[in-house]
Amino acid sequence: MKILVVDDDKEIAQLLEIYIRNEGYEPVSAYNGKDALSVLRTENDIGLMILDIMMPNMTGIEVLKELRRDSKLPVIILSAKTTDMDKIQGLISGADDYVTKPFNPLEIMARVRSLLRRSQDKMTNDEPDVLDIGSLTINKDSHEVKTSDGTEIQLTALEFGILYLLASHPNRVFSADEIFERVWRQESVVSAKTVMVHVSHLRDKIEEATNGEKVIQTVWGVGYKIEMK
């Protein structure tokens, strides 16, 4: 499997290449956003992208928005921007994770392993392959969500994981920590705001595709659920 590193700082890209090789993956590098999109169109077997935000001509956010038009490729943003609003913007744009500079390469690789595991692992066999929730059909095997008229809703791996978790346990309330631990498959080490941003973006996509259908409910002070009568 190939991992695409996109950063205009060649020293950072080369450092990450070393660690990616040590993990048994094949690194591919691009030093600007346009080249990154070109690589994605021409290279086979790219399983994840590590993407810098601050690049000339085309920012990482612009790359991410272009990518999310038709791809669910896992993306880790790597950025010197450290405010909550910067992180929220990255997540809203479709990133699966956000790491700030300066960074520990070992932490980056731990996040890479976790994200690839989430994207590749099948959910347990006792969970249904297809779920029907309201006007939505959720297919576990294909990771597709479609409306009753056949329109596919483009979701990231994390958004799909959150939706499937809630839909496969109707009426049960999951806290932000529980959602993080089950979907991210790590102990909860981030604020509830990270989960909140992903849920908010997921809701927006569902409501846009279904003319306002409110599938996910917030139980204030507790968490989130999908209610089935």
Side-chain angles (χ1 to χ4, degrees), residues 1 8 19 23 34-35 78 83 89 92 104 110 115 124-125 138 142 151 166 169 174 186 189 210 213 215:
M1 179 186 294
D8 61 332
Y19 281 85
E23 289 288 332
K34 291 184 178 179
D35 285 351
L78 187 61
T83 69
Q89 179 60 42
I92 287 176
N104 182 334
L115 188 51
T124 57
N125 291 330
I138 306 166
S142 64
T151 301
L166 297 178
H169 298 83
F174 286 88
Q186 302 176 31
V189 294
T210 61
E213 185 174 342
V215 173

Short mmCIF file of all heavy atoms in Angstrom, two decimals, residues 1 8 19 23 34-35 78 83 89 92 104 110 115 124-125 138 142 151 166 169 174 186 189 210 213 215:
data_model
loop_
_atom_site.label_atom_id
_atom_site.label_comp_id
_atom_site.label_asym_id
_atom_site.label_seq_id
_atom_site.Cartn_x
_atom_site.Cartn_y
_atom_site.Cartn_z
N MET A 1 0.84 -1.20 0.00
CA MET A 1 0.00 0.00 0.00
C MET A 1 0.87 1.24 0.00
O MET A 1 1.92 1.29 0.64
CB MET A 1 -0.92 0.01 1.22
CG MET A 1 -1.81 1.24 1.31
SD MET A 1 -2.76 1.31 2.83
CE MET A 1 -3.82 -0.10 2.59
N ASP A 8 4.99 21.14 1.19
CA ASP A 8 5.97 21.90 0.42
C ASP A 8 7.33 21.96 1.11
O ASP A 8 8.30 22.40 0.50
CB ASP A 8 5.45 23.31 0.13
CG ASP A 8 5.17 24.11 1.39
OD1 ASP A 8 4.87 23.50 2.42
OD2 ASP A 8 5.25 25.35 1.33
N TYR A 19 9.83 7.04 7.95
CA TYR A 19 8.99 6.33 8.91
C TYR A 19 7.93 5.48 8.20
O TYR A 19 7.58 4.40 8.68
CB TYR A 19 8.33 7.33 9.87
CG TYR A 19 9.28 7.79 10.95
CD1 TYR A 19 10.17 8.83 10.74
CD2 TYR A 19 9.29 7.17 12.20
CE1 TYR A 19 11.05 9.24 11.73
CE2 TYR A 19 10.16 7.58 13.20
CZ TYR A 19 11.04 8.60 12.96
OH TYR A 19 11.92 9.00 13.94
N GLU A 23 7.42 1.29 8.41
CA GLU A 23 6.16 0.63 8.75
C GLU A 23 5.74 -0.39 7.68
O GLU A 23 4.73 -1.07 7.82
CB GLU A 23 5.04 1.67 8.92
CG GLU A 23 5.18 2.51 10.16
CD GLU A 23 4.88 1.74 11.44
OE1 GLU A 23 4.09 0.77 11.38
OE2 GLU A 23 5.44 2.11 12.49
N LYS A 34 -1.63 20.87 -6.42
CA LYS A 34 -1.97 20.42 -7.76
C LYS A 34 -1.27 19.10 -8.09
O LYS A 34 -1.87 18.20 -8.71
CB LYS A 34 -1.61 21.50 -8.78
CG LYS A 34 -2.50 22.73 -8.69
CD LYS A 34 -2.18 23.74 -9.77
CE LYS A 34 -3.12 24.95 -9.68
NZ LYS A 34 -2.82 25.96 -10.72
N ASP A 35 -0.01 18.98 -7.69
CA ASP A 35 0.70 17.73 -7.93
C ASP A 35 0.07 16.59 -7.13
O ASP A 35 0.03 15.45 -7.59
CB ASP A 35 2.17 17.88 -7.55
CG ASP A 35 2.96 18.67 -8.58
OD1 ASP A 35 2.42 18.95 -9.66
OD2 ASP A 35 4.13 19.02 -8.29
N LEU A 78 -1.80 17.73 8.43
CA LEU A 78 -0.59 18.09 9.17
C LEU A 78 -0.43 19.59 9.03
O LEU A 78 -0.27 20.09 7.92
CB LEU A 78 0.61 17.35 8.58
CG LEU A 78 1.94 17.44 9.29
CD1 LEU A 78 1.84 16.87 10.69
CD2 LEU A 78 3.01 16.70 8.50
N THR A 83 -5.18 26.43 16.36
CA THR A 83 -6.39 26.84 17.07
C THR A 83 -7.52 25.85 16.83
O THR A 83 -7.53 25.09 15.86
CB THR A 83 -6.86 28.23 16.62
OG1 THR A 83 -7.35 28.14 15.28
CG2 THR A 83 -5.72 29.25 16.68
N GLN A 89 -12.18 23.56 10.97
CA GLN A 89 -12.26 23.79 9.53
C GLN A 89 -11.71 22.59 8.76
O GLN A 89 -12.28 22.15 7.75
CB GLN A 89 -11.48 25.05 9.14
CG GLN A 89 -11.47 25.35 7.65
CD GLN A 89 -12.86 25.57 7.08
OE1 GLN A 89 -13.68 26.21 7.70
NE2 GLN A 89 -13.10 25.03 5.90
N ILE A 92 -14.27 19.71 9.11
CA ILE A 92 -15.47 20.00 8.33
C ILE A 92 -15.20 19.79 6.84
O ILE A 92 -16.07 19.35 6.08
CB ILE A 92 -15.97 21.43 8.60
CG1 ILE A 92 -16.61 21.52 9.99
CG2 ILE A 92 -16.96 21.89 7.54
CD1 ILE A 92 -17.03 22.91 10.39
N ASN A 104 5.60 14.55 16.48
CA ASN A 104 6.42 13.37 16.71
C ASN A 104 6.10 12.37 15.60
O ASN A 104 4.95 11.94 15.49
CB ASN A 104 6.09 12.78 18.08
CG ASN A 104 6.95 11.58 18.42
OD1 ASN A 104 7.45 10.88 17.54
ND2 ASN A 104 7.14 11.33 19.70
N ALA A 110 1.39 6.14 14.40
CA ALA A 110 0.35 5.50 15.20
C ALA A 110 -1.03 5.89 14.67
O ALA A 110 -1.94 5.05 14.58
CB ALA A 110 0.49 5.90 16.66
N LEU A 115 -5.95 4.73 11.55
CA LEU A 115 -6.89 5.15 10.50
C LEU A 115 -7.01 4.09 9.42
O LEU A 115 -8.11 3.81 8.93
CB LEU A 115 -6.44 6.48 9.91
CG LEU A 115 -7.39 7.18 8.94
CD1 LEU A 115 -8.79 7.30 9.54
CD2 LEU A 115 -6.84 8.56 8.58
N THR A 124 -17.83 -6.50 12.83
CA THR A 124 -18.06 -7.87 13.29
C THR A 124 -19.23 -8.51 12.56
O THR A 124 -20.18 -7.85 12.17
CB THR A 124 -18.35 -7.88 14.80
OG1 THR A 124 -19.46 -7.03 15.05
CG2 THR A 124 -17.16 -7.37 15.58
N ASN A 125 -19.15 -9.82 12.38
CA ASN A 125 -20.11 -10.54 11.56
C ASN A 125 -21.52 -10.54 12.12
O ASN A 125 -22.47 -10.85 11.41
CB ASN A 125 -19.64 -11.99 11.36
CG ASN A 125 -18.40 -12.05 10.49
OD1 ASN A 125 -18.21 -11.21 9.63
ND2 ASN A 125 -17.56 -13.04 10.72
N ILE A 138 -28.08 1.86 4.51
CA ILE A 138 -26.67 1.87 4.89
C ILE A 138 -26.10 0.49 4.64
O ILE A 138 -26.53 -0.49 5.25
CB ILE A 138 -26.52 2.25 6.38
CG1 ILE A 138 -27.22 3.57 6.67
CG2 ILE A 138 -25.04 2.33 6.77
CD1 ILE A 138 -27.40 3.85 8.16
N SER A 142 -20.15 -2.31 1.39
CA SER A 142 -19.70 -1.35 0.37
C SER A 142 -19.41 0.03 0.94
O SER A 142 -18.91 0.90 0.23
CB SER A 142 -20.74 -1.22 -0.73
OG SER A 142 -21.95 -0.67 -0.22
N THR A 151 -29.86 8.12 -4.45
CA THR A 151 -28.74 9.07 -4.39
C THR A 151 -27.75 8.64 -3.32
O THR A 151 -28.13 8.40 -2.17
CB THR A 151 -29.24 10.49 -4.07
OG1 THR A 151 -30.16 10.90 -5.09
CG2 THR A 151 -28.07 11.47 -4.00
N LEU A 166 -24.43 4.22 15.29
CA LEU A 166 -25.70 4.66 15.86
C LEU A 166 -26.87 3.89 15.25
O LEU A 166 -27.80 3.50 15.96
CB LEU A 166 -25.88 6.17 15.63
CG LEU A 166 -24.85 7.09 16.30
CD1 LEU A 166 -25.14 8.54 15.94
CD2 LEU A 166 -24.82 6.90 17.80
N HIS A 169 -27.43 0.37 16.56
CA HIS A 169 -27.87 0.30 17.96
C HIS A 169 -28.97 1.34 18.18
O HIS A 169 -28.79 2.30 18.92
CB HIS A 169 -26.71 0.56 18.92
CG HIS A 169 -25.60 -0.44 18.82
ND1 HIS A 169 -24.61 -0.35 17.87
CD2 HIS A 169 -25.33 -1.55 19.55
CE1 HIS A 169 -23.77 -1.35 18.02
NE2 HIS A 169 -24.18 -2.10 19.03
N PHE A 174 -25.07 7.08 22.74
CA PHE A 174 -23.63 6.94 22.84
C PHE A 174 -23.01 8.29 23.21
O PHE A 174 -23.30 9.30 22.57
CB PHE A 174 -23.04 6.48 21.51
CG PHE A 174 -23.28 5.03 21.19
CD1 PHE A 174 -24.43 4.65 20.52
CD2 PHE A 174 -22.37 4.05 21.55
CE1 PHE A 174 -24.67 3.32 20.22
CE2 PHE A 174 -22.59 2.72 21.26
CZ PHE A 174 -23.74 2.34 20.59
N GLN A 186 -9.50 3.98 19.38
CA GLN A 186 -8.46 4.39 20.32
C GLN A 186 -9.16 4.78 21.62
O GLN A 186 -10.35 5.05 21.62
CB GLN A 186 -7.68 5.60 19.81
CG GLN A 186 -7.01 5.44 18.48
CD GLN A 186 -6.37 6.74 18.05
OE1 GLN A 186 -5.91 7.55 18.85
NE2 GLN A 186 -6.32 6.97 16.74
N VAL A 189 -8.81 10.41 23.56
CA VAL A 189 -7.72 11.32 23.92
C VAL A 189 -7.97 12.72 23.36
O VAL A 189 -7.10 13.57 23.42
CB VAL A 189 -6.37 10.80 23.39
CG1 VAL A 189 -5.98 9.51 24.09
CG2 VAL A 189 -6.42 10.57 21.88
N THR A 210 -31.66 14.55 1.96
CA THR A 210 -33.01 14.05 2.26
C THR A 210 -34.03 15.16 2.48
O THR A 210 -35.09 14.92 3.04
CB THR A 210 -32.98 13.17 3.52
OG1 THR A 210 -32.52 13.95 4.63
CG2 THR A 210 -32.08 11.96 3.33
N GLU A 213 -34.28 15.68 6.52
CA GLU A 213 -34.58 14.60 7.46
C GLU A 213 -33.56 14.59 8.60
O GLU A 213 -32.35 14.57 8.37
CB GLU A 213 -34.55 13.25 6.73
CG GLU A 213 -34.97 12.08 7.61
CD GLU A 213 -35.08 10.79 6.82
OE1 GLU A 213 -35.16 10.85 5.58
OE2 GLU A 213 -35.08 9.72 7.45
N VAL A 215 -31.97 12.58 11.23
CA VAL A 215 -31.76 11.18 11.59
C VAL A 215 -31.10 11.05 12.96
O VAL A 215 -31.50 10.25 13.79
CB VAL A 215 -30.92 10.48 10.50
CG1 VAL A 215 -30.55 9.07 10.94
CG2 VAL A 215 -31.68 10.45 9.18
#
